[in-house]
């Protein structure tokens, strides 16, 4: 993506990069750690349970319970009745819903069930002001179409893909434009919807050369971000295209930090497992990225918010190249182990692949070590726990229903 982005802007890939050699080396070490996990995972057989008819039927029986739960959670999230973390835990059930629906009816890009869930996820992304949520749902849909579709490329999907890319670009710009209103959620949602459902948005969807006015809001805003900006991107940094090219963001920090030769294991531990677990009174580190940019005087301490320096930059600050290697292996080892665990529970590889397609965006595009740990370790376990609890509730209701049914009266032959 860095090559594509640089080519689109007409600049070299090291344009305004402080230390291109170091940035490239950090990425290489991170990819090496991921490759090590992938090699080990490929060599160890997973031996999934057979995707029997019973497994398909059990997943189908959970389908309507998942859907009802997700709708209730969406309504509660709209009204502010639950937190974003709780809402996202329930919406992780959506890949299971869609994959099960595709198993029953086949894959269709214009499937009303799929489009309805896409609308629900878009609503959640607007409420939480999250571009990653929407992008992860799109990737999950593409993976499912590749798995189930007879032909991946059709003219209907090409048209749908074009409008989807345009919508993501507009949504990205709008989400950044309304981000300063996060302290007033009602006003933020109202402003976002007024920009999304406008004639300009409709015109931008049909005209690929048009730049939405929301794209200029970020560049014109005077905030404490003035020093924390990579000139690789040019003016603002609002497009989904830039969101997929985070090496210049990483270089803002790694290009200024000194190389460390030892790993701060105490801080590394607090940043991962204890911080990802629910709060039981343990010490957590949830603002490592903010602390780094504050120490480098790139942002004022009054400016709080994930600065998108990437998890690799955080790992570099905690342990240099070794820190990057350890974090990469740890995060993706958690992902590989949870994949096997979910495969044993569901017995349907396609369902698990749909769920992991949703997670992989969070794992790759999230910009903090904590975010990666939440996506690759905590989220799969939460989903499994929710599935077990919903299955138990359904089983109890089914048992009570069967007990309350009138018993047939035995008739004796005279």
């Amino acid at each position: 993506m860095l090559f594509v982005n640089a080519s689109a802007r007409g600049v070299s890939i090291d344009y305004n990069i402080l230390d291109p050699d170091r940035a490239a080396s950090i990425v290489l070490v991170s990819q090496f750690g991921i490759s090590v996990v992938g090699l080990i995972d490929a060599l160890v057989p997973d031996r999934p349970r057979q995707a029997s008819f019973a497994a398909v039927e059990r997943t189908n029986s959970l389908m309507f319970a998942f859907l009802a739960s997700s709708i209730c959670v969406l309504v509660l999230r709209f009204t502010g009745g639950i937190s974003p973390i709780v809402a996202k835990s329930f919406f992780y059930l959506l890949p299971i819903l869609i994959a099960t629906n595709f198993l029953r009816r086949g894959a269709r890009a214009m499937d009303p069930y799929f489009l309805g869930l896409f609308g629900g996820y878009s609503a959640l992304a607007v409420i939480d002001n999250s571009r990653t949520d929407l992008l992860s749902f799109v990737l999950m849909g593409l993976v499912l179409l590749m798995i189930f579709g007879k032909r991946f490329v059709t003219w209907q999907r090409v048209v749908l893909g074009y409008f989807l890319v345009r919508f993501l670009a507009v949504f990205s710009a709008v989400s950044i434009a309304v981000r300063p209103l996060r302290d007033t959620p009602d006003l933020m949602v109202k402003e976002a919807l007024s920009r999304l459902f406008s004639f300009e948005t409709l015109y931008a969807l049909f005209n690929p050369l048009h730049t939405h006015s929301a794209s200029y809001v970020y560049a014109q805003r005077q905030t404490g971000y003035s020093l924390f900006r990579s000139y690789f991107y040019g003016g603002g940094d609002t497009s989904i295209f830039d969101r997929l090219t985070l090496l210049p963001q990483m270089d803002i920090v790694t290009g200024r930090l000194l190389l460390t030769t030892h790993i701060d294991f105490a801080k590394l531990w607090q940043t991962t497992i204890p911080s990802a677990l629910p709060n039981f009174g343990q010490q957590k580190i949830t603002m490592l990225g903010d602390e780094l940019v504050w120490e480098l005087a790139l942002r004022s301490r009054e400016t709080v918010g994930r600065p998108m320096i990437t998890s690799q930059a955080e790992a570099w600050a905690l342990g240099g190249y070794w820190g990057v290697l350890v974090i990469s292996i740890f995060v993706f080892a958690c992902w590989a182990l949870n994949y096997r665990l979910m495969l044993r529970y569901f017995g349907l590889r396609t369902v698990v692949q749909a769920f992991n397609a949703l997670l992989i965006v969070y794992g790759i595009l999230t910009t903090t070590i904590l975010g990666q740990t939440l996506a690759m370790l905590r989220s799969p376990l939460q989903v499994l726990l929710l599935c077990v609890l919903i299955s138990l509730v359904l089983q109890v209701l089914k048992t009570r229903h069967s007990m309350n049914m009138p018993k047939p009266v035995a008739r004796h032959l005279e």
Side-chain angles (χ1 to χ4, degrees):
M1 285 304 299
L2 183 67
F3 285 95
V4 175
N5 203 335
S7 300
R9 298 181 185 279
V11 298
S12 61
I13 59 171
D14 60 348
Y15 177 72
N16 279 321
I17 302 295
L18 299 177
D19 194 334
D21 293 336
R22 174 180 292 181
S25 299
I26 291 174
V27 173
L28 181 62
V29 170
S30 178
Q31 292 297 319
F32 175 75
I34 297 173
S35 301
V36 169
V37 175
L39 179 61
I40 295 175
D41 184 63
L43 294 176
V44 179
D46 52 14
R47 295 178 182 177
R49 187 173 54 190
Q50 293 296 322
S52 62
F53 178 77
V56 176
E57 285 300 307
R58 185 182 67 171
T59 308
N60 288 340
S61 65
L62 293 176
M63 179 178 177
F64 298 104
F66 289 171
L67 182 59
S69 302
S70 300
I71 293 175
C72 293
V73 167
L74 181 61
V75 173
L76 290 173
R77 186 72 193 103
F78 261 117
T79 58
I82 56 176
S83 67
I85 296 178
V86 175
K88 192 167 292 185
S89 299
F90 275 88
F91 270 83
Y92 278 138
L93 300 175
L94 292 182
I96 303 173
L97 284 170
I98 296 174
T100 306
N101 183 59
F102 281 0
L103 279 171
R104 298 170 61 191
R105 303 173 56 184
R108 293 184 299 161
M110 301 302 294
D111 184 82
Y113 189 82
F114 177 76
L115 295 178
L117 292 177
F118 174 75
Y121 222 79
S122 300
L124 185 68
V126 171
I127 296 172
D128 294 335
N129 193 247
S130 174
R131 297 178 291 176
T132 306
D133 287 346
L134 196 57
L135 187 62
S136 62
F137 187 89
V138 172
L139 177 63
M140 182 264 296
L142 291 176
V143 169
L144 287 175
L145 289 175
M146 285 190 292
I147 294 174
F148 293 104
K150 296 180 180 179
R151 290 187 302 166
F152 181 65
V153 179
T154 63
W155 70 267
Q156 296 97 330
R157 293 177 183 177
V158 170
V159 173
L160 180 63
Y162 164 78
F163 285 108
L164 195 58
V165 170
R166 291 299 299 159
F167 175 75
L168 287 174
V170 173
F171 181 85
S172 176
V174 171
S175 65
I176 293 295
V178 302
R179 190 156 290 179
L181 301 175
R182 274 183 168 178
D183 294 335
T184 54
D186 294 341
L187 185 60
M188 182 191 71
V189 173
K190 182 179 179 180
E191 178 67 19
L193 292 177
S194 65
R195 289 181 177 272
L196 287 174
F197 293 96
S198 64
F199 176 78
E200 184 187 10
T201 297
L202 183 63
Y203 179 71
L205 292 178
F206 285 91
N207 184 3
L209 301 179
H210 177 74
T211 302
H212 201 280
S213 60
S215 302
Y216 303 106
V217 175
Y218 176 86
Q220 296 171 354
R221 190 183 304 135
Q222 298 296 323
T223 65
Y225 286 80
S226 56
L227 295 177
F228 183 73
R229 182 174 298 177
S230 173
Y231 292 99
F232 174 88
Y233 301 111
D237 174 20
T238 61
S239 71
I240 199 69
F241 202 40
D242 294 335
R243 185 67 174 84
L244 297 174
T245 311
L246 289 178
L247 186 144
Q249 289 282 113
M250 179 189 75
D251 175 72
I252 298 175
V253 172
T254 59
R256 291 179 169 88
L257 288 174
L258 296 177
L259 174 62
T260 179
T261 56
H262 71 280
I263 302 177
D264 189 346
F265 282 103
K267 204 167 187 178
L268 198 64
W269 165 255
Q270 290 179 356
T271 308
T272 51
I273 303 295
S275 298
L277 292 175
N279 190 7
F280 297 109
Q282 72 272 31
Q283 185 177 359
K284 293 188 174 187
I285 298 179
T286 58
M287 299 173 61
L288 180 58
D290 289 294
E291 292 174 359
L292 290 175
V293 295
W294 290 340
E295 291 175 3
L296 294 173
L298 297 175
R299 295 199 314 188
S300 62
R301 290 188 174 270
E302 291 76 19
T303 304
V304 181
R306 294 179 179 178
M308 293 202 309
I309 63 173
T310 75
S311 58
Q312 286 79 10
E314 292 183 348
W316 168 268
L318 295 178
Y321 291 114
W322 286 109
V324 175
L325 182 63
V326 168
I327 285 296
S328 299
I329 291 177
F330 167 76
V331 168
F332 283 88
C334 291
W335 176 68
L337 291 173
N338 276 312
Y339 178 87
R340 290 168 177 263
L341 185 61
M342 295 191 73
L343 192 60
R344 292 291 298 172
Y345 177 79
F346 287 105
L348 295 169
R349 192 180 295 274
T350 51
V351 172
V352 181
Q353 286 173 342
F355 176 76
N356 277 274
L358 189 71
L359 283 189
I360 202 68
V361 173
Y362 290 99
I364 294 177
L365 294 187
T366 187
T367 55
T368 63
I369 295 176
L370 175 59
Q372 283 190 333
T373 308
L374 288 172
M376 300 303 199
L377 178 62
R378 178 172 168 175
S379 297
L381 296 179
Q382 283 179 326
V383 169
L384 284 174
L385 180 60
L386 281 173
C387 291
V388 171
L389 290 177
I390 294 175
S391 298
L392 290 176
V393 171
L394 289 177
Q395 186 63 34
V396 171
L397 293 176
K398 184 178 179 180
T399 303
R400 291 187 61 182
H401 178 71
S402 61
M403 291 177 62
N404 293 331
M405 290 183 63
K407 297 180 179 180
V409 179
R411 296 185 178 181
H412 299 282
L413 294 176
E414 295 182 356

